[in-house]
Amino acid sequence: MVEESVSPSVERDNFPKPLHVVSVRELVEFVWRRGDLGGGQLFVGPRRALAGIRGHQKIQRSRPSGYQTEIPVEWPVETEEFTLLIRGRIDGLFHGPGEVWLEEIKTIQGAGAPSPDPLHWAQAKIYGFSYARAQGLPELAIRLTYLELETGKITEFQQVFSLAELSACVEDTLAVYLDWLKERHAWCRTRDASIRALRFPYPAYRRGQRELVEAAEGVLDDGGRLFLAAPTGIGKTISVLFPAIKALGAGSLERIFYLTARTVGRLTAETACVDLRSTGLKLRAVTLTAKEKVCPQGDALCDAVVCPLAAGYFDRNKDAMREALGHEAMTRAVIEEVARKHQVCPFELSLDVSVWCDAVICDYNYVFDPKVYLRRHFAEGGGSNGFLVDEAHNLVDRAREMFSADLDYRESEAVRRALGRNAPRVAKVLVKLNAELQKLGAPGRAGPVMEASDPTLELDLFPLEVRPAPEGAGGVRASRELPRGLVEIVETALEEMENWLSKNQPSSFREALLALYFRLYGFRRTAEYYDERFVTLYNSHATRTVRLFCMDPSFLLREALNRGKAAIFFSATLAPLEYFRMLLGGEPGDPVLQLSSPFPPENLAVLIQDRIQTHFKGRAASLHEVVEAIGSLVLERRGNYLVYFPSYQYLNDVLQLFTGKYPSVAVLVQRPGMTEAQRGDYLDAFSIEHGETLVGFAILGGIFGEGIDLVGERLIGAVIVGVGLPQLSMERDLIRAYFQEREMDGFGFAYTFPGMNRVLQAIGRVIRSETDRGVVLLIDARFGELRYRRLFPPWWRFLRVRNIGALSHAVDAFWQG
């Protein structure tokens, strides 16, 4: 795989031509790998790396005195256009009187005598060429040594190669790789020429847009982080993508990663690239789609035995890659079409071509999640990558999930039962694991406990109450201590499961065992990060779960950001900016930018009914007032409206009264678990042809609360009922306590700020262009409080309407104005 970035140890100034760096292993695998996905072993556990290091050390210690280990080598290969720097590390070398031999060590899993892998010989021969040429040796003995990890068995193969033979191997390898690299280099020259001529794709900048572009330019060129809050409609995507592409052409960036949490965000980025290409830009961009969405096999294992797209993948992938790279926009549809034609896995194809692309459009987890981030891009540490983080307000909670882990007794017990008499060593350790999970989740253990959340508790008014668990009671206990005994059992379970899985034995329970293995591995990995930012939650209900919960993801996000040179976090709703800067891994000195709406403020009427109580205890008494307020808004002018609620129960209670009071008004209702087709039908109903009033009932913070684009008359108003507080939970309360201990606004961090961002996102659905006009009604007494008012955007012109008469008058005046 081509790696265009240069590590800090390589001085670019020493190479007058453009420099490309590749490791010996990457070079060999790219050129010579054949066969199925996964090679000879369909399962290679993540724990293999440490075991492999120990295995190497075991072999190296057994060698005679004078045996050298881990010898770094690198040498340049000059072409007319660029320099290729090949780098690697020789496992072992013995150069004694009358005897010289080089050793390549490989650790393997599974029983049986290994046969020498052509890939391993090729790797050893390239190292051998490097050493023999440097030492002027006419020939060199090369030893290929295999260590079977489970049994400790050592198998050695040794062969003497002439320098001419070693040279031929290198020439054959480079012939293939340089062909690809020359095409890549030629493409980059064409791309950079187009970027130099590139102009902003629209006739004029919107108000504030040039300021955004200039702020992004500084960070992308010099490195660092920028936190940007810009209202919907200002053109955030093009305003960060345009300077990122300019930085790419100038050599400041190696690759652009456009990161988003939703499909609509990926589509927006793809559209922006299309707009830029229409002005002459040459840019290869690939969209990575989750494996489960593009896999034609559905839920089947990625197994060459059952999947024809995995069988022989490496015999066909290069032809597929060449065809895919013939498209500048490698969208999901393009990748799937090319994959079908060449009968290769579409997900793996998208990953393979990403290394040869200029931009990668993908989900957050491909950069930030420690379990699944793209190691082919980031394994060597930071590079000159630019991260453009769209809808960054979503990343805080997503990061908490990425950095948390849980174990469920029911899952591990189901796997243990499925094993039957098979895999007895695995079954034995799962018995221990399940016993420990039951013990830790047993009711009545010492420590703070919280029963299932009481929705009548007003967290605005009362502090979190932590009390001892009564004898025999269920609930959730919280502890600041890592359950080290459980972690030790998990370690043992991983070892036994990996030993069994590595033998690739077909079985009815293999898929479930593999899923449990990766859950245990994620738990163990999270345990490595465990510190004061984490808490352990024990659920003593039937689930008997243990959860390592990350309350503060900022430190781990900051570490992940080191995989790139620059990052821009942008959203319409990063309020307050200092809160997001801290939790998203920023430093106090990182720049923040808050921009005003580019649209006339008089086009949006924000009305606040702050005399209606919508908190849980006040809802029943105020239902009729809420229904009347909604009716007064939507009956003033025909059109499409969205009404947002904090829960389905509240939505249904209001819906029942509303349809009874206003039977002539057409309504749409969001339901739990809607399919993509049902979501599409819901949004398609917001047309302007029907000429009547349509009211959509939806959930605040849900699928229709952000990321939808209903321009012009497709949406003329919205009602937000409540302040959007996240559901009361022990996790939220622990977040609150954590930040309060650090003398910060704990309740704001846990509840107010995330809730208000949901509100602001919903309001952002109303005004989408310069000509849009619309009205928003906020219903909740808390909107009149200073702690919420200070989170309002400064360009709002809001009006308090304390009764139905004032509301009707304000709405009528707005539409008549």
Side-chain angles (χ1 to χ4, degrees):
M1 308 301 179
V2 62
E3 177 57 64
E4 297 178 40
S5 67
V6 181
S7 75
S9 64
V10 178
E11 292 293 337
R12 185 182 291 273
D13 293 341
N14 295 335
F15 299 90
K17 300 175 186 176
L19 180 65
H20 301 270
V21 183
V22 68
S23 73
V24 172
R25 179 171 180 173
E26 289 172 327
L27 176 65
V28 167
E29 288 192 349
F30 179 81
V31 174
W32 298 115
R33 191 169 185 183
R34 301 290 184 269
D36 305 336
L37 273 173
Q41 293 183 329
L42 299 177
F43 174 83
V44 179
R47 291 163 50 86
R48 268 290 307 277
L50 180 58
I53 291 172
R54 291 171 177 168
H56 275 62
Q57 293 170 344
K58 176 182 177 181
I59 298 292
Q60 290 164 344
R61 285 194 299 267
S62 71
R63 295 314 184 202
S65 175
Y67 178 87
Q68 302 173 61
T69 65
E70 306 299 329
I71 306 162
V73 295
E74 65 179 36
W75 70 96
V77 177
E78 299 291 345
T79 73
E80 291 184 5
E81 302 92 355
F82 57 83
T83 300
L84 172 65
L85 187 65
I86 303 174
R87 310 174 69 186
R89 193 174 293 272
I90 298 172
D91 289 336
L93 179 69
F94 182 80
H95 196 151
E99 184 181 12
V100 182
W101 47 273
L102 179 146
E103 185 170 36
E104 179 70 15
I105 302 170
K106 298 296 180 183
T107 54
I108 59 173
Q109 291 176 303
S115 57
D117 189 322
L119 285 179
H120 300 160
W121 271 129
Q123 190 173 346
K125 287 160 78 173
I126 290 177
Y127 283 130
F129 167 78
S130 170
Y131 185 75
R133 186 185 64 169
Q135 298 296 316
L137 301 176
E139 62 181 20
L140 179 66
I142 296 180
R143 180 179 297 181
L144 186 57
T145 301
Y146 291 93
L147 169 65
E148 206 287 303
L149 290 173
E150 187 173 4
T151 64
K153 180 182 178 182
I154 297 173
T155 306
E156 297 176 351
F157 302 91
Q158 184 163 315
Q159 189 171 344
V160 176
F161 296 94
S162 69
L163 180 60
E165 290 176 309
L166 297 175
S167 179
C169 175
V170 172
E171 289 175 3
D172 291 344
T173 303
L174 287 177
V176 176
Y177 191 75
L178 287 176
D179 180 54
W180 280 78
L181 198 53
K182 287 176 181 177
E183 192 282 334
R184 171 65 180 166
H185 185 76
W187 167 260
C188 289
R189 291 180 64 182
T190 301
R191 177 201 70 190
D192 293 349
S194 76
I195 293 174
R196 285 192 293 271
L198 186 65
R199 299 293 178 266
F200 197 69
Y202 306 123
Y205 288 97
R206 288 176 172 171
R207 189 176 69 182
Q209 199 170 26
R210 184 182 291 275
E211 183 182 0
L212 192 164
V213 170
E214 291 174 352
E217 283 176 349
V219 168
L220 293 164
D221 288 338
D222 301 332
R225 295 174 287 266
L226 170 67
F227 296 84
L228 166 70
T232 298
I234 203 169
K236 294 184 290 296
T237 296
I238 197 69
S239 299
V240 297
L241 193 55
F242 176 72
I245 290 170
K246 282 291 189 179
L248 186 74
S252 298
L253 294 182
E254 167 197 340
R255 189 170 287 108
I256 299 166
F257 288 85
Y258 190 99
L259 309 173
T260 181
R262 297 172 182 264
T263 301
V264 67
R266 294 191 280 278
L267 295 176
T268 301
E270 291 173 351
T271 301
C273 289
V274 170
D275 291 344
L276 288 164
R277 290 190 189 100
S278 70
T279 67
L281 173 67
K282 298 292 184 180
L283 185 83
R284 285 174 173 168
V286 62
T287 300
L288 303 184
T289 306
K291 189 173 185 176
E292 60 270 18
K293 291 185 178 180
V294 296
C295 178
Q297 297 295 113
D299 296 331
L301 280 173
C302 189
D303 188 328
V305 175
V306 298
C307 179
L309 305 184
Y313 172 85
F314 290 103
D315 301 330
R316 303 183 297 274
N317 71 323
K318 286 189 182 61
D319 288 339
M321 289 170 63
R322 285 194 185 276
E323 181 166 343
L325 289 167
H327 300 263
E328 291 187 41
M330 284 162 268
T331 62
R332 172 180 175 176
V334 168
I335 290 292
E336 289 181 322
E337 179 184 353
V338 173
R340 277 194 300 270
K341 179 178 177 180
H342 293 272
Q343 285 296 287
V344 295
C345 170
F347 179 70
E348 290 294 331
L349 176 62
S350 68
L351 295 180
D352 283 345
V353 298
S354 73
V355 182
W356 301 88
C357 285
D358 312 308
V360 180
I361 302 169
C362 59
D363 189 88
Y364 299 151
N365 61 0
Y366 290 106
V367 169
F368 298 115
D369 192 328
K371 296 180 285 293
V372 299
Y373 74 86
L374 295 172
R375 285 168 175 78
R376 66 184 68 203
H377 288 287
F378 309 124
E380 299 299 322
S384 297
N385 300 302
F387 301 143
L388 308 180
V389 187
D390 187 19
E391 301 293 357
H393 62 277
N394 287 312
L395 182 55
V396 174
D397 283 338
R398 277 288 302 276
R400 286 192 175 111
E401 286 302 311
M402 291 175 192
F403 301 140
S404 299
D406 57 88
L407 296 180
D408 188 326
Y409 165 79
R410 294 171 302 179
E411 179 185 11
S412 56
E413 176 61 12
V415 172
R416 186 198 66 79
R417 291 178 181 275
L419 292 178
R421 295 181 179 275
N422 300 288
R425 295 181 62 161
V426 177
K428 183 178 180 180
V429 74
L430 288 184
V431 169
K432 292 182 179 179
L433 176 67
N434 295 340
E436 185 71 10
L437 288 173
Q438 284 190 302
K439 182 180 76 171
L440 291 172
R445 291 176 61 86
V449 69
M450 185 178 189
E451 296 294 336
S453 296
D454 179 2
T456 65
L457 180 63
E458 275 300 305
L459 281 175
D460 299 63
L461 305 177
F462 300 108
L464 171 66
E465 295 181 0
V466 179
R467 52 190 169 78
E471 187 66 30
V476 180
R477 292 182 297 106
S479 170
R480 291 292 180 89
E481 297 295 324
L482 176 68
R484 299 190 182 280
L486 176 62
V487 173
E488 290 175 2
I489 297 174
V490 166
E491 283 274 16
T492 305
L494 284 170
E495 183 177 353
E496 295 297 344
M497 294 166 76
E498 189 164 308
N499 287 337
W500 192 91
L501 288 165
S502 67
K503 298 170 186 175
N504 299 306
Q505 304 176 49
S507 66
S508 59
F509 56 80
R510 179 181 174 82
E511 188 171 354
L513 182 62
L514 191 62
L516 179 60
Y517 173 88
F518 282 109
R519 183 178 294 277
L520 293 177
Y521 178 75
F523 189 88
R524 178 63 187 89
R525 191 177 186 105
T526 299
E528 294 174 0
Y529 302 133
Y530 197 99
D531 58 13
E532 72 277 3
R533 301 172 185 87
F534 284 79
V535 67
T536 306
L537 301 178
Y538 301 100
N539 189 327
S540 59
H541 289 102
T543 56
R544 293 290 197 273
T545 57
V546 176
R547 178 166 173 78
L548 307 181
F549 176 59
C550 178
M551 298 177 289
D552 178 3
S554 59
F555 176 74
L556 294 173
L557 281 174
R558 194 174 302 124
E559 284 196 332
L561 289 174
N562 291 331
R563 295 172 188 143
K565 172 184 177 180
I568 300 176
F569 298 87
F570 57 101
S571 171
T573 56
L574 291 182
L577 265 169
E578 293 74 15
Y579 158 79
F580 281 102
R581 179 172 62 182
M582 192 194 78
L583 283 187
L584 291 174
E587 303 283 1
D590 291 337
V592 298
L593 181 62
Q594 170 78 67
L595 297 175
S596 298
S597 173
F599 307 137
E602 59 269 19
N603 284 9
L604 177 67
V606 180
L607 309 177
I608 301 174
Q609 199 346 333
D610 59 3
R611 304 194 73 172
I612 297 178
Q613 300 285 349
T614 72
H615 60 75
F616 189 86
K617 289 192 292 186
R619 288 177 187 174
S622 64
L623 279 176
H624 289 278
E625 292 180 277
V626 171
V627 168
E628 193 172 5
I630 296 170
S632 296
L633 177 72
V634 304
L635 294 179
E636 284 293 331
R637 186 173 187 264
R638 288 182 180 180
N640 299 328
Y641 299 84
L642 277 168
V643 184
Y644 294 98
F645 296 87
S647 70
Y648 282 105
Q649 181 62 56
Y650 199 3
L651 181 155
N652 290 326
D653 290 345
V654 173
L655 176 66
Q656 183 178 359
L657 287 176
F658 184 87
T659 53
K661 186 175 180 65
Y662 305 104
S664 62
V665 177
V667 298
L668 281 174
V669 184
Q670 177 183 344
R671 297 299 184 191
M674 294 175 75
T675 65
E676 287 192 22
Q678 290 170 330
R679 297 177 190 179
D681 291 341
Y682 186 102
L683 293 175
D684 289 344
F686 284 80
S687 66
I688 59 175
E689 287 79 15
H690 55 70
E692 301 296 329
T693 293
L694 173 68
V695 180
F697 284 67
I699 296 298
L700 196 61
I703 54 176
F704 303 120
E706 63 176 279
I708 61 171
D709 200 16
L710 301 173
V711 178
E713 295 293 313
R714 292 191 67 194
L715 184 68
I716 65 169
V719 181
I720 289 86
V721 182
V723 293
L725 294 182
Q727 183 177 3
L728 177 65
S729 69
M730 188 175 195
E731 290 183 356
R732 286 283 166 187
D733 287 330
L734 289 166
I735 294 170
R736 177 192 186 193
Y738 171 85
F739 286 105
Q740 281 184 176
E741 288 173 3
R742 286 150 182 80
E743 299 183 349
M744 295 184 233
D745 183 359
F747 185 80
F749 276 43
Y751 289 98
T752 306
F753 302 155
M756 195 60 189
N757 271 272
R758 294 177 179 178
V759 171
L760 296 174
Q761 278 290 325
I763 294 171
R765 303 311 98 205
V766 179
I767 301 295
R768 310 293 294 178
S769 73
E770 294 90 340
T771 57
D772 280 11
R773 298 186 75 230
V775 59
V776 169
L777 174 62
L778 305 179
I779 301 177
D780 195 293
R782 288 167 286 192
F783 284 123
E785 299 174 10
L786 179 60
R787 59 181 168 143
Y788 283 97
R789 294 268 294 276
R790 69 184 183 184
L791 298 175
F792 289 1
W795 59 88
W796 272 9
R797 297 182 178 180
F798 62 88
L799 177 67
R800 300 170 78 175
V801 288
R802 299 196 165 190
N803 54 56
I804 296 301
L807 172 59
S808 297
H809 176 76
V811 175
D812 181 66
F814 173 76
W815 290 120
Q816 294 299 322

